[in-house]
Amino acid sequence: MNMEWCASLPKLELHAHLNGSIRDSTLLELTKAFIGKGVINFSEMEHIIRKYNRSLEEVFKLFDLIRILTTDHSTVTRITKEVIEDFASENVVYLELRTTPKRNDSVEMSKRSYVEAVLKGLRSVTSVDVAFIPHCEDSDRIFTPLPAINGHVRKRIFVRLLLSIDRRETTEAAMETVRLALEMRQFGVVGIDLSGNPSIGDWTTYLPALKFAREQGLCVTLHCGEVPNSKEIKNMLDFRPQRIGHACYLGDEHWRQLKSSKIPVEICLTSNVRTMTVQSIDVHHFVDLYKAKHPLVLCTDDSGVFSTCLSKEYKIAADSFGLGRREMFELSRNAVEYIFADSRVKEDLRKVFNSVAKSME
Ligand code: 6MZ
């Protein structure tokens, strides 16, 4: 599949972690700024950043290092801005960006001020139009091309936020994140994600917070089956989240349950192959789910950490599974139905795809 075509296709990104999506150049620049402070070892950090295949455990070590580099408000704002620009530049028309609100007393950061720094990042994007405040979008605006300036049509992107609960947190900390998400709904927070090192913690710790989120009308997505843990996978599917991410270590019984539940799956091909949670791309469960017409969406997970982008994930899927342009277009279009934003946004996105479909005829 032609990479240019994959890049030009309108796409939706529903599984992207902010701190996993930092540009390599920014990460190295931030690392250099820490040289001599005795906090990190630059050559070790550079080696880890440039390493290709990493086990899941190594990936989480890298996240701990990244966390050290991105602990102040201005860096959070900067990386948010860059991540939005990068997704928009490859024609992502809707992005659900997830991030774990963090408290850092040394820089007077609370979970709330962390999210405010993310929002500042969204507001500071100038190279593309960013629509992130619900009910503020003019429904005609998003798909009607603006007049070209110097031959360039301004790109537009819808952005919504998911607040992540890290599996290292306590029940109370998870509750605080959910309460924050509820307060921040007016600024485009639409849901809660459970993520973090899947070998750590027991997900029932977060169940009270996840149930509360759902009762209050927030959508929930869970990292499910990144490691073999049959009981947890079953319990997560029983919970019936609005979406799940990964779904790598599901047994026959889980597959049956998943398929009958129709819970959409966020598929992260490169991430799964690089962290060896699937043996190789040709045995990836995408094929089984796709053939079963199960709701699924291609995502990057951590475009920075895994040196990928959404267009590349589409190309990999097309090349690995023998899908043509029509199938890839429909795959992208179907994702509209699985977003957490409201029906107005869905309607606008359907129009985007309808107008592109017409131009393809
Ligand atoms: C589980 C993951 C992840 O939240 O600091 N994260 N959790 N599985 C994965 N697959 C490889 N990739 C990223 O972004 C980084 C955080 O997202 C979660 C981890 O908790 C990581 O620390 P934020 O913006």
Side-chain angles (χ1 to χ4, degrees):
M1 177 71 64
N2 178 314
M3 181 64 181
E4 267 176 31
W5 186 84
C6 293
S8 68
L9 180 69
K11 293 172 290 296
L12 284 74
E13 171 61 83
L14 305 188
H15 188 134
H17 299 269
L18 174 60
N19 277 288
S21 308
I22 305 173
R23 292 176 189 162
D24 270 1
S25 56
T26 301
L27 205 51
L28 284 171
E29 189 189 319
L30 295 171
T31 310
K32 282 185 190 150
F34 269 76
I35 292 177
K37 291 188 182 168
V39 192
I40 49 169
N41 174 327
F42 179 69
S43 56
E44 187 195 357
M45 182 74 188
E46 193 184 21
H47 174 71
I48 295 178
I49 292 173
R50 295 197 189 283
K51 199 172 170 199
Y52 196 70
N53 279 343
R54 297 184 192 94
S55 67
L56 257 194
E57 290 306 319
E58 286 175 322
V59 164
F60 286 104
K61 265 192 206 135
L62 176 57
F63 281 128
D64 283 342
L65 285 172
I66 293 176
R67 207 172 256 226
I68 297 172
L69 304 176
T70 60
T71 38
D72 65 88
H73 293 104
S74 61
T75 306
V76 172
T77 298
R78 171 189 173 173
I79 60 173
T80 305
K81 175 175 182 279
E82 292 180 353
V83 166
I84 306 298
E85 287 169 352
D86 291 349
F87 277 114
S89 73
E90 56 161 339
N91 289 311
V92 170
V93 289
Y94 176 92
L95 164 66
E96 255 169 45
L97 186 63
R98 56 186 77 189
T99 192
T100 322
K102 297 161 191 89
R103 197 179 136 181
N104 179 5
D105 294 339
S106 68
V107 292
E108 293 184 7
M109 179 186 279
S110 61
K111 284 191 172 188
R112 171 179 270 276
S113 71
Y114 177 93
V115 177
E116 281 165 353
V118 170
L119 293 172
K120 193 169 169 194
L122 296 183
R123 287 194 190 95
S124 65
V125 177
T126 53
S127 55
V128 294
D129 287 345
V130 181
F132 68 97
I133 306 277
H135 310 299
C136 222
E137 296 98 4
D138 166 353
S139 59
D140 290 331
R141 255 182 20 138
I142 190 81
F143 68 94
T144 310
L146 282 179
I149 302 167
N150 300 332
H152 290 290
V153 175
R154 253 178 95 74
K155 290 185 192 292
R156 293 171 173 142
I157 183 169
F158 280 109
V159 179
R160 292 293 184 271
L161 298 175
L162 307 182
L163 301 191
S164 301
I165 296 169
D166 185 325
R167 294 181 65 119
R168 287 180 291 199
E169 291 184 289
T170 61
T171 303
E172 182 42 39
M175 273 294 193
E176 188 190 345
T177 297
V178 173
R179 282 195 292 268
L180 182 59
L182 290 169
E183 285 163 26
M184 293 285 190
R185 273 207 271 212
Q186 55 182 314
F187 301 113
V189 175
V190 288
I192 294 289
D193 156 57
L194 176 65
S195 53
N197 190 335
S199 311
I200 292 180
D202 186 332
W203 91 292
T204 52
T205 310
Y206 313 107
L207 208 45
L210 296 169
K211 281 184 175 159
F212 177 58
R214 189 158 64 186
E215 277 159 24
Q216 296 296 315
L218 287 168
C219 294
V220 174
T221 177
L222 303 173
H223 280 62
C224 176
E226 268 190 298
V227 290
N229 185 342
S230 183
K231 189 169 162 231
E232 179 177 285
I233 294 168
K234 180 178 184 320
N235 290 342
M236 283 184 166
L237 294 175
D238 284 345
F239 178 76
R240 287 189 160 264
Q242 272 85 357
R243 294 198 307 256
I244 59 169
H246 298 296
C248 298
Y249 286 96
L250 274 58
D252 291 347
E253 206 33 56
H254 305 132
W255 284 123
R256 272 194 287 279
Q257 190 178 352
L258 175 68
K259 283 179 187 165
S260 68
S261 72
K262 300 262 182 274
I263 297 170
V265 181
E266 302 151 0
I267 297 275
C268 308
L269 297 171
T270 297
S271 164
N272 295 160
V273 171
R274 297 271 297 278
T275 57
M276 293 162 275
T277 48
V278 297
Q279 273 178 346
S280 64
I281 191 81
D282 38 301
V283 293
H284 197 284
H285 45 285
F286 172 95
V287 178
D288 180 39
L289 290 173
Y290 184 79
K291 280 189 183 152
K293 296 195 180 345
H294 189 84
L296 53 84
V297 47
L298 289 177
C299 305
T300 55
D301 201 9
D302 298 292
S303 54
V305 167
F306 299 120
S307 312
T308 190
C309 62
L310 196 54
S311 312
K312 215 164 153 183
E313 296 302 301
Y314 272 69
K315 178 171 167 49
I316 291 170
D319 293 347
S320 308
F321 311 126
L323 303 177
R325 290 186 177 186
R326 172 58 57 194
E327 285 101 340
M328 295 313 292
F329 178 84
E330 292 305 331
L331 192 62
S332 188
R333 191 210 304 248
N334 288 345
V336 173
E337 307 312 317
Y338 321 136
I339 68 172
F340 289 170
D342 61 38
S343 52
R344 282 184 44 164
V345 177
K346 276 190 186 166
E347 210 29 66
D348 277 358
L349 291 171
R350 288 189 195 112
K351 287 175 190 165
V352 171
F353 282 93
N354 289 344
S355 70
V356 173
K358 275 207 187 100
S359 70
M360 282 168 69
E361 277 163 8

